[in-house]
Amino acid sequence: AMPGCSYDLNAHSFDPETSTATFFGTFRGTHTGQLGGLPAPTHKSMETQYVYNMHVNAHGKVDRITKVWHSAWAAAQVGWTPQNQGPAAAEHFFHLCESGKGWEECRHFCTQDAEFSAQAEPLQGIKTVCEYVEWMKGIAVVAMPGCSYELHSYAFDSETSTA
């Protein structure tokens, strides 16, 4: 379906305690070929990130693979399904939050009572998204002015509306 497709291996690691390998990649391709079960070639391209977690047994063989990939987003890129507005809204919120714009800018993408949780110690007392984006504003504007971030991967599950 995508002759000439390619991937980049962006990062990888191996945890010897759990015998688990993790791979983070980016797949690129253009739908130009026919494959059973897929729509006719659209000649549209996709670029999508994914993660593989692979468990290796005592004999050095992979015995379990979990792939984390937003296939619906990839399918929308090549025109197999309609594009969901949820991913765009979630990504826009992410950029506003991470760049320290605060609640005034972010509130348009959240419910007033949106909940927040984190395992990180400094964030344990923060219970709402409003509190969190204001905390991030403090980080970006007061504590670490000029700080920056890079978005390496993004996925959206349209069945659960979860980014």
Side-chain angles (χ1 to χ4, degrees), residues 53-116:
N53 284 316
M54 299 180 186
H55 182 263
V56 180
N57 68 19
H59 304 290
K61 298 194 181 250
V62 174
D63 62 2
R64 182 178 60 246
I65 297 176
T66 301
K67 183 173 186 174
V68 180
W69 173 50
H70 184 26
S71 60
W73 179 251
Q77 287 182 57
V78 290
W80 297 343
T81 59
Q83 198 115 7
N84 184 328
Q85 294 304 307
E91 186 175 2
H92 195 69
F93 169 82
F94 174 85
H95 290 299
L96 290 171
C97 176
E98 293 302 299
S99 60
K101 299 301 183 197
W103 181 246
E104 190 57 36
E105 295 286 327
C106 293
R107 68 184 177 88
H108 306 289
F109 299 94
C110 305
T111 60
Q112 185 64 33
D113 58 348
E115 298 174 10
F116 175 83

Side-chain angles (χ1 to χ4, degrees), residues 3-42:
C5 62
S6 65
Y7 73 93
D8 292 327
L9 180 58
N10 302 318
H12 60 90
S13 65
F14 185 77
D15 180 354
E17 290 183 25
T18 62
S19 285
T20 303
T22 302
F23 300 91
F24 165 47
T26 301
F27 175 89
R28 291 174 193 83
T30 301
H31 182 211
T32 58
Q34 186 62 48
L35 180 66
L38 293 178
T42 63

